[in-house]
Amino acid sequence: MRASGMSFDGSGFWRAAEPKPAYEVVVVGGGGHGLSTAYYLARNYGITDVAVLEKGWLGGGNMARNTTIIRSNYLWDESAAIYEHSLKLWEDLERELEFDIQFSQRGVLNLAHDLGDVRSSLRRVNANRLNAVDGEWLSPAEVANFCPIINISPDVRYPVLGATLQRRGGVARHDKVAWAYARAADRLGVDIVEHCEVRGFDVRQGHMTSVETSRGSIRATKVALAAAGHTSVLASMLGLRLPLQSHPLQALVSVLLEPVLNCVVMSNAVHVYVSQADKGELVMGAGIDAYNSYAQRGSFHVIEHQLAAAIQLFPIFRNAKLLRTWGGIVDVSPDASPILGTTPIDGLFLNCGWGTGGFKATPGSGHVYAETIANGKPGPLAQPFALERFETGALIDEHGAAAVAH
Amino acid sequence: MLLIPCPWCGPRDEIEFSYGGEAHIAYPAEPDELSDAQWADFLFMRHNPKGDFSERWYHSSGCRRWFNVIRSTVTHEIRAVYRVGEPPPEAGS
């Protein structure tokens, strides 16, 4: 057996499992959501006969490509409930998984740049408070007091008219989160199978029976997709139509700098979100490229637009050198909310559509997805996110209102 | 940045264009006859292939006309460009 799962003492955080001929549950996708799903299946429901199939290496997709922002300040009740559930799990995760994931509740600012922003931000803070999600409105002077390097001059293209602050928001080290869940799931008996690509499914009389992979056929009557940007590729093998479009989403880091930024700053209007990693890199995210793509790279003009705004907001960044840029593939749904639940195929479960904001949901998504898989039906937190909402019209429109750059 | 060959203006930078998503989604001929599931399919369900994709672009900073493109979503290579109302060329099938 190959050693697998990088660890600092070389011993490996998880076994490199060979796929067995059959499992009770097969999770497709070894990113954060797939790994947390497997962990909660084992821990909460005693379902340990589980394989996580990953076509590449563990946590090498969007889990290693996001900007690690964690918050729960969503507008609508359904979103606030699931993201706040996730944030509460984050707050206990280091103890539970016995792993230093560098979880840091340093506060998330969402800037408002025009009157429309101000009104929707105030509305969101009030909605958050009614849902017992912490949130405050800061005046420009209070913004500068909280984060001194922000330029609050009124004489700029996008003046800061105020901001919302979620103090419990923050960041975590994304790849460590993947390793922590992988190690915990592995210890409970879950098989993590890397370099194992799903190439087809066997469905008989509407029931899932097996998965065809690059490493052979695996029988399973419960198959749980957690493949983010590649969900449509898997669904097309099953003839399942989904309301998803895959887009590149870019991020970038600067060279290592002295500590200058003490919180997370997001700006919906100018498509910038930035924090500073513990080792000193400025970590910045951009908006998605407009067109569909699976290429894991985005266009430079998107970054150029983002950096022009970032430099005006943070004049101190003006001379910072860019170290590297990269892209991930995000699956965007029509209402910018996830799709989670059962499907018309018995035994096939769906967890996708997290779009540009899936990292923060890693614990909560896996937690409620495991519940859905174990019980064969969604619990109260997952239920509103069912695929059926596109037929009933009960959409959960988080475009813009969620204070996230789309 | 893509270099997009507008069928009227010739090759121009991507930033002159707006993206219109999947092509060839016709408004229902008999909208009163559609079930909720059929409406959901028309409004929300989309092809999302890893490979060649028929999509609409709008030359918003140029001739301001819509047209169709067949483009690979893996390499971004534009395989064909054709006008609205024309069938997709064989090159993209």
Side-chain angles (χ1 to χ4, degrees), chain A residues 17 58 103 127 149 258 379:
Chain A
L58 184 141
F103 178 60
I149 63 169
E258 293 289 316

Side-chain angles (χ1 to χ4, degrees), chain A residues 25-41:
Chain A
V25 178
V26 164
V27 178
V28 183
H33 290 217
L35 292 166
S36 68
T37 301
Y39 168 72
Y40 291 116
L41 276 171

Side-chain angles (χ1 to χ4, degrees), chain A residues 230 232 241 292-294, chain B residues 41 47-48 50 71 73 76:
Chain A
H230 275 75
S232 294
R241 281 184 42 90
N292 289 22
S293 171
Y294 287 86
Chain B
D41 195 79
H47 290 110
N48 188 21
K50 187 175 186 175
R71 184 183 56 88
T73 61
H76 299 170

Side-chain angles (χ1 to χ4, degrees), chain A residues 67-79:
Chain A
T67 51
T68 80
I69 298 169
I70 296 166
R71 60 189 179 87
S72 63
N73 56 347
Y74 281 68
L75 176 67
W76 298 108
D77 294 351
E78 297 88 347
S79 318

Side-chain angles (χ1 to χ4, degrees), chain A residues 33 36-37 40 82 85-86 89 340 351 354 358 361-370:
Chain A
H33 290 217
S36 68
T37 301
Y40 291 116
I82 198 166
H85 176 60
S86 194
L89 291 169
L340 206 162
N351 186 0
W354 293 92
T362 301
S365 162
H367 196 268
V368 302
Y369 198 28

